[in-house]
Amino acid sequence: MKKILFVIATIFLCGDINAQTMIGKNTIKLGSDLMTPEALWAMGRISSYAASPDGKKIVYQVAYYSVKENKSHHILYVMDSNGKNQRQLTTTTDNETDPAWLSNKVIAFSRGGEVWTMNADGSNRRQLSNTGGKVEGFLFSPNGKRIILIESIPFHEIIKENPEDLPLATGRLVTDLMYRHWDHYVESIPHPFIAEVTDEGIGEATDILEGLPYECPMEPFGGIEQLAWSVDSKSIAYTCRMKKGVDYAISTDSDIFLYDIDTKNVTNLCKGDIASTVWTDPTKTMKGQPVNSDAMKDLNVGYDQNPKFSPDGHYVAWISMERDGYEADRQRLCVYDLETSAKRYVTESFDSNVDDFCWAPDSKTLYFIGVWHATENLYATNLDGEVTQVTNDWADFGSLQMLGHKQILAERHDFMHAADLYVVTPNLKNTEKTKVEQVTNENKHIFDQLARGKVQQRWVKTTDGKDMLYWAILPPHFDETKKYPTLLFCEGGPQSPVSQFWSYRWNFMIMAAHGYVVIAPNRHGLPGFGSEWCEEISGDWTGQCMDDYLTAIDDAAENLPFVDKDRLGAVGASFGGFSVYYLAGHHNKRFKCFIAHDGAFNLESMYTDTEEVWFSNWEYEDAYWNKDLSENAKKTYENSPHRFVDKWDTPILCIHGEKDYRINANQGMGAFNAARLRGIEAQLLIFPDENHWVLKPQNGILWQRTYFNWLDRWLKN
């Protein structure tokens, strides 16, 4: 067998640091050319990156993980924009993150919850802020004289402070909804602060939302991208949802605000001076409620976020959703004229989501990333809304920014390649002449020694007569004369694309390396095939989309000779986990085993368990106790997976994180308990310290080993 070199942790002694772990590149010998969980966790993971103002250099961040130490180390690198002359900037055990250029020669970054700067060669390191490690994000003004600092402030309007004479009390007195979000109790919220920057460092900071009980950036995933400086450094555009409690829990209505630094005046760019508060029934979908009436459409009542000013300062653009309460609404690109206050939507001809964007130097063109037919490619639009495709790859591009005046810097990955940085030279007249050049090769030393499988794209007719795309991922060393055990992959969301993603858990390359064919359908309810296709799933979780799953796996079993129809499994997370629980009672003995990760099992319980109530309201249409349930709501609750446990007949592995407040752990426990009470072979993998995802290295390895042990037990023996 081939001997393979992989990354592991290395121990360094740094000054007075006593044998702490510096996790970086080193080598270990393994005896196979197939992907393993350990190989996945050995890979460097590129995240933040930035191009210098002149476009000649790129600074970027890589995370390395140690399974033994069960933690990560974040390192900064700098290189020429063509990928040459790479230099490691981080030389200590401290994590260094969020690099940004202050000039062509100076880089700012985060370290220990403070803002630092250094020269582009790593010399002259200097700490600018002194907040006691409170900085969670930062953004310098274009003129370098001011900075935005993100810091969390105490928040006790929903969870009350305990009496001072009970310092060891662990109870929490809750008075309203949104007391938990994603994976934490909400006892603090992020706020943006402004401070002056001088030769002495960063001065005293002022909270621009002082006294307001609202988040900026928005939890749980918002970051510094939700704020932007104007070109003249005189104002800030920021994202905020000015709601709390029940109002927050049922609404996705966030707005873009413009803050004038000198006058401290605040303008709502979405709504102007018009008040948009209307009565809303918190137990019903927003679909037919007054907030989503035609009279409210111009007020941007859905998600509005991530503002960016045009280079000439005339416009600010942001990602906008039209409807309140619908978190999977189509993401459009809104352009606001700062002189006339006019808004225009420049991606209306692109019937899918805008996932990220940047302005071109001419202030007349915007580049954006969007999903179409299961790939995330680059597109361009002008201010008249004329959209042009820029790339046409079987790949997914990630966040993007300009590199100089004519090129774009973006991250790119696919089913068989982890994320790397690429430079795109667009040709708006001919997509085939667009140049896409790879400038990092972070995991080359690993991938060069791994055998990869192949990917096929297949279209099939659905039961309602439409065309559905599914991916077939084949094992390495594929032998077309053999039959392989096969997995049906059920996507989450429910409206997340099955595009060419790379995941460090739901990784198709490692599934194929374990000898499985993977069938990954782009069922009804996924973006990239038009709004009608995407929206058909809301109110119909157990109808057409479930037929689509069975259509895909049946087509593969009948028409792909290498698929062993007697050894089929179904796997999925979140809505995919829900899908597995539902299929367990409706599969007519197609599958030999199931795996459900963080899936909803009992939808009545799920309605009141989850923290973001707008999701259940939109998808189910009603609280289960309403006497006037809509037909969709009746169908939803009547078809909840827990009602069909009497039909379960197949081994099932249930996985859940106890810090998952989106789909609470009682859902996974309930499914496992039900299976065992029915006498069905089952296992429960429970993580007390993980949320909707599995983030810790040793937990990640345990997840992968448990996953494949279960599949191998039922599909290979």
Side-chain angles (χ1 to χ4, degrees):
M1 289 187 177
K2 296 179 181 178
K3 299 295 183 180
I4 303 178
L5 304 181
F6 287 108
V7 178
I8 58 169
T10 316
I11 304 299
F12 287 81
L13 297 178
C14 300
D16 60 354
I17 299 173
N18 182 21
Q20 293 188 29
T21 299
M22 169 83 168
I23 304 167
K25 290 186 178 181
N26 208 330
T27 58
I28 186 173
K29 293 182 179 180
L30 297 179
S32 171
D33 65 353
L34 300 178
M35 176 74 83
T36 65
E38 291 77 12
L40 266 181
W41 280 91
M43 291 183 177
R45 306 184 189 185
I46 293 177
S47 51
S48 299
Y49 47 92
S52 61
D54 62 9
K56 294 183 178 180
K57 291 189 179 297
I58 298 168
V59 61
Y60 64 100
Q61 173 185 334
V62 183
Y64 299 104
Y65 288 80
S66 167
V67 174
K68 179 180 179 181
E69 298 293 330
N70 205 33
K71 62 182 180 181
S72 63
H73 187 223
H74 295 261
I75 292 175
L76 298 182
Y77 293 90
V78 69
M79 65 182 178
D80 296 343
S81 59
N82 60 6
K84 297 181 179 180
N85 299 317
Q86 183 192 77
R87 177 190 180 101
Q88 182 174 318
L89 298 175
T90 302
T91 58
T92 72
T93 59
D94 291 328
N95 287 318
E96 297 183 342
T97 63
D98 307 314
W101 294 88
L102 296 187
S103 68
N104 291 321
K105 297 181 179 180
V106 178
I107 297 169
F109 62 99
S110 292
R111 176 178 171 182
E114 303 292 355
V115 180
W116 289 64
T117 60
M118 62 180 164
N119 292 338
D121 62 2
S123 64
N124 194 28
R125 289 167 171 265
R126 181 181 174 218
Q127 182 177 332
L128 296 189
S129 65
N130 288 280
T131 67
K134 296 179 181 179
V135 176
E136 300 170 14
F138 68 89
L139 188 64
F140 280 87
S141 62
N143 64 12
K145 296 181 179 180
R146 292 188 175 100
I147 189 172
I148 300 170
L149 301 175
I150 304 299
E151 300 180 22
S152 287
I153 64 169
F155 179 72
H156 292 290
E157 296 207 11
I158 291 175
I159 299 177
K160 298 302 180 182
E161 284 189 273
N162 285 337
E164 292 184 1
D165 64 334
L166 301 176
L168 301 182
T170 59
R172 293 181 171 97
L173 178 60
V174 177
T175 62
D176 207 341
L177 296 190
M178 294 312 299
Y179 53 93
R180 300 196 303 187
H181 206 170
W182 187 249
D183 60 3
H184 64 282
Y185 281 85
V186 182
E187 297 177 279
S188 64
I189 56 175
H191 267 203
F193 292 73
I194 300 178
E196 301 287 335
V197 181
T198 66
D199 291 340
E200 285 71 40
I202 295 173
E204 185 175 351
T206 301
D207 184 352
I208 68 174
L209 291 180
E210 186 173 3
L212 296 177
Y214 311 122
E215 309 161 347
C216 178
M218 295 188 301
E219 292 197 310
F221 306 123
I224 200 65
E225 76 283 349
Q226 294 196 346
L227 300 98
W229 283 98
S230 63
V231 177
D232 60 8
S233 301
K234 294 181 179 180
S235 58
I236 295 168
Y238 66 86
T239 307
C240 189
R241 175 168 42 201
M242 292 197 171
K243 299 178 185 294
K244 61 180 181 177
V246 171
D247 290 338
Y248 184 116
I250 65 172
S251 174
T252 58
D253 184 8
S254 61
D255 292 319
I256 305 299
F257 296 87
L258 190 66
Y259 177 84
D260 186 294
I261 293 174
D262 293 331
T263 66
K264 298 185 179 179
N265 288 335
V266 179
T267 303
N268 187 326
L269 300 187
C270 294
K271 297 178 174 62
D273 297 327
I274 301 174
S276 64
T277 302
V278 295
W279 180 86
T280 301
D281 186 337
T283 70
K284 289 185 175 293
T285 178
M286 292 281 201
K287 291 175 188 175
Q289 299 208 47
V291 69
N292 283 322
S293 66
D294 289 342
M296 304 293 288
K297 279 189 176 181
D298 291 338
L299 300 184
N300 295 66
V301 297
Y303 267 129
D304 292 275
Q305 56 187 327
N306 302 359
K308 297 180 183 182
F309 287 88
S310 62
D312 63 9
H314 290 165
Y315 306 100
V316 58
W318 64 82
I319 292 174
S320 175
M321 292 184 183
E322 183 177 7
R323 290 165 286 184
D324 193 3
Y326 186 23
E327 70 171 15
D329 205 357
R330 184 166 64 91
Q331 295 188 155
R332 310 166 297 164
L333 196 52
C334 179
V335 176
Y336 181 93
D337 190 317
L338 291 164
E339 294 181 2
T340 67
S341 300
K343 289 178 289 191
R344 66 180 85 177
Y345 299 91
V346 296
T347 55
E348 293 302 89
S349 64
F350 183 72
D351 196 15
S352 191
N353 289 330
V354 173
D355 293 318
D356 191 27
F357 73 97
C358 68
W359 283 95
D362 64 5
S363 295
K364 298 177 182 178
T365 306
L366 298 102
Y367 295 105
F368 69 92
I369 298 167
V371 61
W372 190 253
H373 285 185
T375 59
E376 288 262 4
N377 275 288
L378 269 66
Y379 298 82
T381 181
N382 59 24
L383 297 180
D384 293 325
E386 297 171 340
V387 174
T388 303
Q389 187 165 351
V390 177
T391 63
N392 187 23
D393 292 355
W394 271 18
D396 281 6
F397 285 87
S399 59
L400 74 165
Q401 59 186 268
M402 291 304 301
L403 177 70
H405 293 284
K406 296 181 179 180
Q407 295 179 310
I408 300 167
L409 176 62
E411 174 264 318
R412 180 185 181 278
H413 54 268
D414 59 46
F415 289 154
M416 297 295 165
H417 299 87
D420 269 301
L421 298 183
Y422 287 72
V423 172
V424 179
T425 306
N427 188 311
L428 301 186
K429 295 182 179 180
N430 188 340
T431 302
E432 293 182 359
K433 292 186 178 180
T434 292
K435 292 176 62 178
V436 180
E437 301 170 286
Q438 185 173 350
V439 293
T440 64
N441 212 331
E442 173 59 33
N443 296 298
K444 184 177 186 299
H445 59 296
I446 296 177
F447 280 111
D448 279 355
Q449 301 169 81
L450 284 175
R452 291 185 178 92
K454 294 183 179 179
V455 178
Q456 296 180 355
Q457 186 187 84
R458 186 173 175 84
W459 291 83
V460 63
K461 285 289 184 184
T462 59
T463 57
D464 63 348
K466 297 179 181 177
D467 294 321
M468 177 175 66
L469 181 156
Y470 71 79
W471 299 107
I473 299 93
L474 310 182
H477 310 302
F478 177 71
D479 184 344
E480 61 183 11
T481 67
K482 291 184 178 180
K483 286 188 176 293
Y484 292 86
T486 299
L487 306 177
L488 172 67
F489 171 75
C490 302
E491 177 59 55
Q495 287 147 315
S496 301
V498 183
S499 54
Q500 285 277 327
F501 63 81
W502 174 272
S503 168
Y504 284 94
R505 188 167 66 258
W506 292 95
N507 184 281
F508 290 160
M509 183 175 177
I510 195 172
M511 294 181 201
H514 276 76
Y516 293 96
V517 170
V518 182
I519 302 301
N522 276 268
R523 51 153 174 83
H524 281 71
L526 300 186
F529 300 88
S531 294
E532 180 181 351
W533 176 277
C534 186
E535 295 190 8
E536 284 183 8
I537 196 169
S538 296
D540 188 28
W541 277 21
T542 57
Q544 187 60 53
C545 63
M546 295 299 165
D547 290 343
D548 290 350
Y549 283 138
L550 298 179
T551 293
I553 197 65
D554 287 349
D555 179 77
E558 293 300 323
N559 297 304
L560 299 180
F562 46 82
V563 169
D564 188 340
K565 62 182 179 182
D566 294 322
R567 293 188 292 164
L568 303 179
V571 302
S574 196
F575 179 83
F578 163 87
S579 302
V580 167
Y581 289 143
Y582 181 80
L583 290 173
H586 297 84
H587 69 111
N588 295 323
K589 300 190 182 297
R590 285 176 175 86
F591 299 106
K592 293 295 186 285
C593 71
F594 294 106
I595 299 178
H597 175 113
D598 287 356
F601 171 64
N602 181 331
L603 294 187
E604 288 189 1
S605 175
M606 171 72 180
Y607 182 86
T608 48
D609 286 349
T610 194
E611 84 285 42
E612 293 181 350
V613 180
W614 66 74
F615 175 80
S616 298
N617 275 345
W618 193 277
E619 296 301 316
Y620 308 168
E621 295 193 355
D622 262 306
Y624 63 85
W625 59 81
N626 284 339
K627 302 303 182 185
D628 59 342
L629 288 177
S630 70
E631 289 304 311
N632 281 342
K634 290 178 184 177
K635 181 173 63 176
T636 295
Y637 292 119
E638 288 171 358
N639 286 282
S640 175
H642 80 284
R643 294 183 179 273
F644 301 94
V645 172
D646 62 313
K647 294 182 174 60
W648 285 18
D649 57 9
T650 302
I652 188 166
L653 167 63
C654 307
I655 306 173
H656 224 106
E658 289 195 83
K659 294 183 72 175
D660 182 356
Y661 303 150
R662 183 63 41 84
I663 300 178
N664 281 222
N666 62 293
Q667 299 284 323
M669 294 175 182
F672 168 75
N673 293 353
R676 291 302 301 129
L677 289 169
R678 285 269 298 135
I680 294 168
E681 289 278 359
Q683 290 183 352
L684 173 67
L685 177 59
I686 194 78
F687 292 102
D689 55 347
E690 298 286 4
N691 57 33
H692 203 56
W693 302 326
V694 178
L695 302 176
K696 296 178 175 62
Q698 291 195 16
N699 283 342
I701 298 288
L702 176 61
W703 189 98
Q704 294 281 2
R705 289 179 183 174
T706 305
Y707 179 91
F708 288 114
N709 285 341
W710 185 256
L711 293 177
D712 291 352
R713 175 181 173 185
W714 301 106
L715 300 182
K716 289 186 177 180
N717 295 326

